[in-house]
Amino acid sequence: MEKLTICLLLLHFSLFLFSIADGGSIGVNYGRVANNLPSAVKAVALLKFQGVERVKVYDTDPAVLKALSGSGIMVTVNLPNELLYNAAKRQSFAYSWVQRNVVAYYPSTQIESIAVGNEVFVDPHNTTRFLVPAMKNIHEALLKYNIHDKIKVSSPVALSALQNSYPSSAGSFRSELVEPVIKPMLDFLRQTGSFLMVNCYPFFAYESNSDVISLDYALFRENPGVVDAGNGLRYFSLFDAQVDAVFAALSALKYDDIKMVVTETGWPSKGDDIEVGASLDNAAAYNGNLVRRILTGGGTPLRPKEDITVFLFALFNENKKPGPTSERNFGLFYPNERKVYDIPLNMEGLKHYIDRQSPVAGGERMQKGGKGNVSAGVPGQTWCVASGEAGKDNLQAALDFACGEGGADCRSIQPGSTCYNPNTLEAHASYAFNSYYQKKGRAMGSCYFGGAAYIVHQQPKYGNCELPTED
């Protein structure tokens, strides 16, 4: 944890970090949902020129796999969701698929893993029940061709597979998935020596909670950190917190030995007006600082010795992707192969990399569409109050945590005490949340409570009770 702390607090002193050896690995997702992309041959040449070690594709297109032949780039291929049923129900299909899409190109195309499906748990076609049988059949096919020890089989899961992700120590998988699919999948990964694939996007968490999550915390910039009340560990980036939530979920099920690869992460360079944080500067900062974070070594606070492989999303902006503007602007490159922003993708490039921060105004970084940030250490008092929209059960659970394990001073909201009235759940929760927030030094992330709280800049008053400050 000490190494990680140093790396993240001294982000501007990059040359200091190059004495750290044997860091993680950076890969890039090569998506092709577009009608204006360069040929596969040109794309592979671009990857090689940028010094990219790994690439992940979303199918087994022959033109792409042939272009990657002899490149020295490690490749992850994908069996799409629409083929899960056939792969699960027919071993002969799995044999044929592996022969045509893997064996035919390996080893000149250095396929290192097969992603069976992609974010299957949110697939609208309800393919979850076919996932593990399909994984097993694909592995059996690799065994038949005697390449099972060279190529791993896994499946990328989204963070939505977690029931709890905040704080990280409370990470857990969705209860309805645990017995039917999560445990069988983890058993398979353990038996075959494979790893869990996870898609992790701090951008979406920040976009939805930019009033309580510091932009610096989301972009790997210097910040005072957030202490996890459950395990006492201090986090200096939202990425690490999200990854550790998955590690905690694995640990809760007794699968501490399972390793992880982050198969997707990234930040959009452009978005709609309501997409808070989507900008060129922020995308460059997130991806550039992430590359440095990964390549210079060190794990997460929960697993400090475990280096991580991360695949950036994505190689190109893809003009045919549906959804908001951000979906078409996650690329590192424009289709004409020009960089969207200038960041390194390898250790050599890191030697000259500097995170060029945007101008700072009023102690906080300003951005189009932003709701404003509140950071510990910014002059001016702030308070933490309960959100009436959080729902009774969520507020009660958060109140119980604050007054219990969280260590908030809740004596004043007991019957007969000064802030017992008004005797409402929202008023009592606000008092408890604020006590916790102030005791934590108004640290970033300490006014969240699973989305049940938010920060205000004027001292709140409930009846005759003013929420105190505890500097």
Side-chain angles (χ1 to χ4, degrees), residues 35 43 49 52 66 100 128 186 235 257 266 343 369 389 402 434:
N35 61 6
F49 181 77
V52 175
K66 288 177 183 177
R100 286 182 290 106
T128 296
L186 296 178
Y235 287 85
D257 55 316
I343 63 165
E389 299 177 355
N434 184 66

Side-chain angles (χ1 to χ4, degrees), residues 94-142:
Y95 286 152
S96 175
W97 188 90
V98 167
Q99 196 283 323
R100 286 182 290 106
N101 298 292
V102 179
V103 176
Y105 302 99
Y106 183 84
S108 58
T109 299
Q110 295 185 35
I111 299 171
E112 64 173 342
S113 59
I114 300 172
V116 176
N118 186 58
E119 298 188 350
V120 174
F121 304 149
V122 293
D123 182 3
H125 297 98
N126 192 27
T127 52
T128 296
R129 65 187 183 278
F130 306 124
L131 176 58
V132 176
M135 294 171 71
K136 290 180 176 180
N137 283 348
I138 292 296
H139 178 74
E140 282 299 313
L142 295 175

Side-chain angles (χ1 to χ4, degrees), residues 283-293 312 341 343-344 350 353:
Y286 177 80
N287 283 319
N289 289 332
L290 172 64
V291 169
R292 174 166 47 194
R293 157 78 180 83
L312 301 180
Y341 42 82
I343 63 165
L350 277 179
Y353 172 67

